[in-house]
Amino acid sequence: MTTMGEDIKGCVLQEAGIAFTILRDSGDVTGEYTLLAGNAQVTKPFIREFFLEGVVAYDSVLVSGDVLQINQTGTKYLVANVTPDMLLNSIFQNSIVLYKSNLTVDVLRPSEGDYSTQTYHRETHWSYIARSQPVLITTPLYGHDLVTDEEIALLSIETHEMYIPTSVGVQVLDRIRVSSTEYYRVESVKPRRYEGLDVVELGEDQRPTSTTTTTTTSTSTSSTTTTTSP
């Protein structure tokens, strides 16, 4: 603990900062404050909107991969980086990098069942890996939309990318469901760009949007088929 760290925490952050909550499956964490600002060197509207820098207290429990929610507005951010700022061998504050969540999604994982002896179709079962997960999904940015000196946020320029906490455990071929009519397939997972966050390439998903289960009702050739949406 440092005197400077306590001064920043009590006289700056708590007096003039923004209250936030850390959203965790193990239990939400409250009582912390931050000061946020956009990067002054970035001019593109998308990056100014979704890429923020800030500071939190020297003893903050915030870690990379957390989801941070601003109490006043309910806006959610993915924590991409937490870096201790030190002076005289002591931490006096932590600098943070945040990506604003623009969607909440469901993550589903397919598993293949047996072939039906009647239809010879393989059953597909979908299981939920996460529900209502805050993420950032970027749309393709081409040409002048993103120039090289503004790649501070490392956003993709050619494909849809999703930023999601590593703790969710997204895998290739998982389904990302934005709505009942908008689905994506996970094409690749890049786990080492940020500590605590995975960068996921998304592609078009043309797989069935429902799970079909065929069950035989007797020893004859008759059967019943039920269909449920994942």
Side-chain angles (χ1 to χ4, degrees), residues 147-164:
V147 296
T148 54
D149 63 349
E150 291 176 351
E151 290 181 347
I152 189 169
L154 297 178
L155 301 178
S156 170
I157 60 175
E158 294 180 350
T159 186
H160 287 80
E161 283 190 343
M162 178 178 70
Y163 297 74
I164 188 170

Side-chain angles (χ1 to χ4, degrees), residues 65-227:
D66 275 339
V67 177
L68 179 157
Q69 178 175 272
I70 302 300
N71 293 352
Q72 184 66 28
T73 63
T75 306
K76 297 180 179 66
Y77 294 90
L78 307 178
V79 181
N81 179 264
V82 179
T83 303
D85 294 329
M86 302 186 68
L87 185 66
L88 297 178
N89 221 27
S90 296
I91 300 171
F92 63 90
Q93 67 180 18
N94 287 284
S95 294
I96 60 174
V97 175
L98 303 179
Y99 283 167
K100 182 180 178 181
S101 170
N102 59 357
L103 290 169
T104 57
V105 302
D106 295 332
V107 181
L108 299 99
R109 184 161 298 157
S111 60
E112 300 297 334
D114 297 330
Y115 283 103
S116 167
T117 57
Q118 280 77 38
T119 66
Y120 298 101
H121 291 161
R122 186 184 291 274
E123 301 170 352
T124 300
H125 303 280
W126 294 94
S127 57
Y128 282 90
I129 304 303
R131 296 175 185 261
S132 301
Q133 173 63 48
V135 299
L136 168 61
I137 294 182
T138 69
T139 54
L141 303 172
Y142 297 104
H144 64 276
D145 289 339
L146 185 65
V147 296
T148 54
D149 63 349
E150 291 176 351
E151 290 181 347
I152 189 169
L154 297 178
L155 301 178
S156 170
I157 60 175
E158 294 180 350
T159 186
H160 287 80
E161 283 190 343
M162 178 178 70
Y163 297 74
I164 188 170
T166 302
S167 59
V168 176
V170 170
Q171 298 179 8
V172 173
L173 299 183
D174 281 352
R175 165 172 287 168
I176 305 302
R177 183 170 68 177
V178 178
S179 69
S180 60
T181 58
E182 186 177 1
Y183 295 81
Y184 295 99
R185 182 178 63 186
V186 174
E187 303 290 352
S188 68
V189 179
K190 305 171 184 177
R192 297 182 182 87
R193 185 177 292 182
Y194 307 99
E195 181 181 359
L197 284 183
D198 287 341
V199 182
V200 179
E201 279 195 19
L202 301 178
E204 185 179 2
D205 194 346
Q206 297 182 336
R207 293 171 294 181
T209 58
S210 61
T211 300
T212 301
T213 303
T214 303
T215 58
T216 302
T217 57
S218 67
T219 56
S220 66
T221 57
S222 62
S223 64
T224 61
T225 301
T226 57
T227 300

Side-chain angles (χ1 to χ4, degrees), residues 1-18 20 31-36 54-60 83-88 90-96:
M1 181 176 67
T2 66
T3 300
M4 181 182 295
E6 280 295 323
D7 289 343
I8 292 174
K9 178 180 179 179
C11 300
V12 178
L13 293 173
Q14 292 182 1
E15 293 293 330
I18 303 168
F20 67 86
E32 293 204 26
Y33 297 82
T34 183
L35 291 173
L36 299 175
V55 295
V56 292
Y58 74 98
D59 59 352
S60 174
T83 303
D85 294 329
M86 302 186 68
L87 185 66
L88 297 178
S90 296
I91 300 171
F92 63 90
Q93 67 180 18
N94 287 284
S95 294
I96 60 174

